Amino acid sequence: MEFSRQEYWSELPFPPPGDLPNPGIKPASPASPELAAPVCCSARYNLAFLSFFGFFVLYSLRVNLSVALVDMVDSNTTAKDNRTSYECAEHSAPIKVLRNQTGKKYQWDAETQGWILGSFFYGYIITQIPGGYVASRSGGKLLLGFGVLGTAVFTLFTPLAADFGFGALVALRALEGLGEGVTFPAMHAMWSSWAPPLERSKLLSISYAGAQLGTVVSLPLSGVICYYMNWTYVFYFFGLVGIIWFILWICLVSDTPETHKTITPYEKEYILSSLKNQEAQVRSLLRELDATLPQLKIPSAATKTWYSQLSSQKSVPWIPMLKSLPLWAIVVAHFSYNWTFYTLLTLLPTYMKEVLRFNIQENGFLSAVPYLGCWLCMILSGQAADNLRARWNFSTLWVRRVFSLIGMIGPAIFLVAAGFIGCDYSLAVAFLTISTTLGGFCSSGFSINHLDIAPSYAGILLGITNTFATIPGMIGPIIARSLTPENTIGEWQTVFCIAAAINVFGAIFFTLFAKGEVQNWAISDHRGHRN
């Protein structure tokens, strides 16, 4: 973390002096990477990999309905809604393989299917901020664990809910969203106690990369299960996997290093000292200020008010938090990125089928390939980001800005290019894959900037930003569908250009207003990192 005296003096209600006397306190620095506890078999990396599989399960539970729904709906119901564009020629012959068709069929039209798919987000958006608040108060282990468990159990009841009717299935999906809504804020809150500052990019990119791999695996696997068994087994399989993961999570994970049963004393000391040193950097500046104030003839009331607000907050500083421009920089970037992400997540199979006219077997595989690239990029970019900070001394702010620019402007360029290459199937798939892959850089950009500006309130901040970032999942696909009534290439060009423009705006806004250091409203003598 980087701190400057000028930045903190600029927050005072009076001009800074020309030269600050040195009270003899040398700011602490984060633990040196050379002195870091070993990675192999470490508790912090075990947490990263277990949470990786947790988010793998979460996204499998989230996206499996997109595939299963195709097999749940009576094809005669949707025949009249067929909107296949014939601009591109059919270029693949159907693969004739005997398939299981024992699953029950439902008379749901396109609009009904849209409500079923979107209902998840109406629950998901509700628990973001409450989840972050609860996790910051009581820890994220149980909250995340029961969030996954609840989603998994509700998933097991999906076939039963479908039998009860459209309303029951919509309600069940909304309940699944409620469970998943707490998971990301809870994980962020846990990392505020577990991730050494110079390892944040690595640990969090590993942790959240599970979401991308879950998409990669669940899309084609759900298609295979539907094809050779029937759609009900999609929900039974992934639901049981979620329950097994919950048992492992409860048995192997702790909220903090202090409460972990098998962590080595050396690793525990490394984590705790690195987190304390991060806060000590700011506190040394506060003590310097305290030593300097008597020499400055300044009204005591103003300085005491400012100092007390900065150093002794006992509750969540909601007003300063919501007035923080760096927080809104993350909000705008998160919203912008998710607009493209959710548009492609929900409509890429449609684009592959109705415009590029890939058959169902090719569609499942090709729709998953871009997320495989994103998963790999997230892992590698996390390593690169922390090396730039630890080995090459690049500032946290520089790394967050550059990685966000690459992860948002890069996808925008290739997304627009994919729309303007016409029916060149190879280039279209390549450009869409590159676009989604480059988005993985954001996992070491704005996605973890919450921990840079307010580690003690990271869960709450993620709840706030993810609340706004869920809105694109609710309205983005609806707008995209309204813009593509005939599924022509020209209509999809408009969809891709809108998404790209939003991405570029978010990248620029974040670059202008983001910060890489702990904000003064986030410093608290009484809370810290629960150390």
Side-chain angles (χ1 to χ4, degrees):
M1 304 293 295
E2 298 76 34
F3 298 93
S4 102
R5 293 176 179 169
Q6 287 74 18
E7 288 176 351
Y8 281 91
W9 279 95
S10 68
E11 300 291 334
L12 290 168
F14 46 79
D19 294 307
L20 292 174
N22 187 351
I25 300 171
K26 187 177 181 179
S29 60
S32 169
E34 289 79 7
L35 302 178
V39 169
C40 182
C41 302
S42 64
R44 66 192 188 280
Y45 276 88
N46 287 343
L47 173 63
F49 286 113
L50 197 53
S51 60
F52 169 92
F53 286 109
F55 286 103
F56 174 95
V57 171
L58 276 175
Y59 265 67
S60 297
L61 295 171
R62 181 186 297 194
V63 305
N64 58 16
L65 180 63
S66 300
V67 178
L69 191 62
V70 176
D71 209 38
M72 295 168 68
V73 177
D74 187 347
S75 58
N76 293 326
T77 305
T78 56
K80 62 182 180 181
D81 297 320
N82 189 335
R83 299 186 303 164
T84 300
S85 170
Y86 294 97
E87 287 183 282
C88 298
E90 187 86 43
H91 62 97
S92 55
I95 301 174
K96 295 183 178 180
V97 180
L98 292 177
R99 61 171 298 178
N100 187 300
Q101 297 185 359
T102 58
K104 189 175 180 179
K105 304 293 183 180
Y106 302 95
Q107 305 294 318
W108 294 332
D109 60 20
E111 183 179 355
T112 301
Q113 294 174 51
W115 277 102
I116 293 171
L117 291 173
S119 57
F120 171 90
F121 293 103
Y122 291 96
Y124 187 71
I125 197 172
I126 293 173
T127 50
Q128 295 291 325
I129 296 176
Y133 180 78
V134 172
S136 70
R137 291 295 180 177
S138 57
K141 172 187 172 179
L142 293 179
L143 191 63
L144 193 154
F146 281 105
V148 176
L149 178 65
T151 304
V153 171
F154 287 133
T155 298
L156 291 173
F157 286 99
T158 301
L160 182 62
D163 279 340
F164 275 106
F166 156 73
L169 184 56
V170 166
L172 186 74
R173 286 290 291 177
L175 289 174
E176 289 181 30
L178 287 174
E180 281 204 28
V182 304
T183 54
F184 279 94
M187 193 70 250
H188 248 47
M190 289 188 70
W191 281 126
S192 71
S193 295
W194 273 98
L198 292 180
E199 293 185 14
R200 279 179 184 157
S201 300
K202 297 176 188 174
L203 291 169
L204 272 77
S205 62
I206 292 172
S207 180
Y208 296 138
Q212 306 301 326
L213 191 62
T215 303
V216 169
V217 172
S218 64
L219 285 175
L221 182 57
S222 296
V224 169
I225 294 174
C226 287
Y227 201 86
Y228 292 103
M229 301 172 73
N230 71 57
W231 62 264
T232 60
Y233 290 98
V234 171
F235 304 106
Y236 296 147
F237 174 78
F238 288 110
L240 288 174
V241 170
I243 292 173
I244 293 171
W245 176 88
F246 169 77
I247 296 171
L248 295 174
W249 178 261
I250 292 298
C251 294
L252 300 177
V253 168
S254 297
D255 274 312
T256 64
E258 299 98 318
T259 58
H260 197 280
K261 296 178 181 179
T262 60
I263 189 173
T264 64
Y266 182 73
E267 184 185 9
K268 182 192 295 185
E269 178 59 28
Y270 165 65
I271 294 172
L272 299 182
S273 63
S274 64
L275 293 175
K276 288 177 181 177
N277 286 345
Q278 171 190 283
E279 199 161 315
Q281 289 183 319
V282 181
R283 300 205 182 289
S284 67
L285 289 168
L286 293 175
R287 289 193 293 270
E288 180 176 305
L289 173 63
D290 196 34
T292 305
L293 286 177
Q295 304 176 34
L296 305 173
K297 296 180 180 179
I298 301 164
S300 59
T303 58
K304 286 181 178 179
T305 299
W306 179 84
Y307 185 84
S308 63
Q309 289 175 345
L310 190 61
S311 63
S312 62
Q313 295 167 349
K314 297 182 181 180
S315 59
V316 178
W318 290 106
I319 301 302
M321 182 185 291
L322 294 176
K323 289 182 178 180
S324 174
L325 192 55
L327 170 60
W328 288 104
I330 303 174
V331 168
V332 172
H334 203 168
F335 177 95
S336 302
Y337 175 84
N338 272 18
W339 186 283
T340 300
F341 177 80
Y342 282 131
T343 298
L344 288 181
L345 184 66
T346 55
L347 297 181
L348 186 56
T350 300
Y351 183 74
M352 294 284 191
K353 177 178 181 291
E354 308 294 352
V355 179
L356 298 182
R357 302 183 69 187
F358 287 103
N359 63 42
I360 187 64
Q361 287 86 356
E362 293 171 324
N363 195 344
F365 173 75
L366 293 174
S367 295
V369 166
Y371 299 101
L372 177 61
C374 186
W375 171 68
L376 291 171
C377 185
M378 289 177 71
I379 299 294
L380 296 177
S381 65
Q383 303 293 319
D386 279 344
N387 281 332
L388 286 172
R389 296 170 64 217
R391 307 288 181 182
W392 298 91
N393 294 320
F394 283 93
S395 71
T396 299
L397 180 58
W398 187 91
V399 170
R400 301 294 180 244
R401 282 174 170 171
V402 170
F403 277 59
S404 295
L405 284 170
I406 297 173
M408 297 181 77
I409 292 181
I413 293 172
F414 283 97
L415 190 61
V416 172
F420 281 87
I421 50 86
C423 295
D424 190 324
Y425 313 109
S426 299
L427 272 182
V429 173
F431 285 166
L432 288 171
T433 299
I434 294 172
S435 176
T436 306
T437 297
L438 290 176
F441 277 93
C442 288
S443 66
S444 297
F446 73 83
S447 291
I448 60 173
N449 193 224
H450 317 74
L451 283 162
D452 300 322
I453 66 172
S456 295
Y457 305 107
I460 296 175
L461 295 192
L462 183 63
I464 293 172
T465 64
N466 216 16
T467 296
F468 287 94
T470 301
I471 296 173
M474 300 164 66
I475 66 173
I478 296 174
I479 293 175
R481 283 188 178 276
S482 69
L483 292 173
T484 56
E486 303 299 328
N487 271 326
T488 64
I489 292 176
E491 291 171 347
W492 279 95
Q493 287 173 354
T494 302
V495 171
F496 291 158
C497 286
I498 290 174
I502 293 173
N503 245 21
V504 170
F505 172 77
I508 294 173
F509 193 93
F510 181 81
T511 301
L512 292 175
F513 301 111
K515 296 291 183 183
E517 63 277 340
V518 178
Q519 300 301 289
N520 56 18
W521 51 264
I523 304 167
S524 169
D525 285 323
H526 296 273
R527 293 189 68 251
H529 296 278
R530 293 198 298 274
N531 291 337

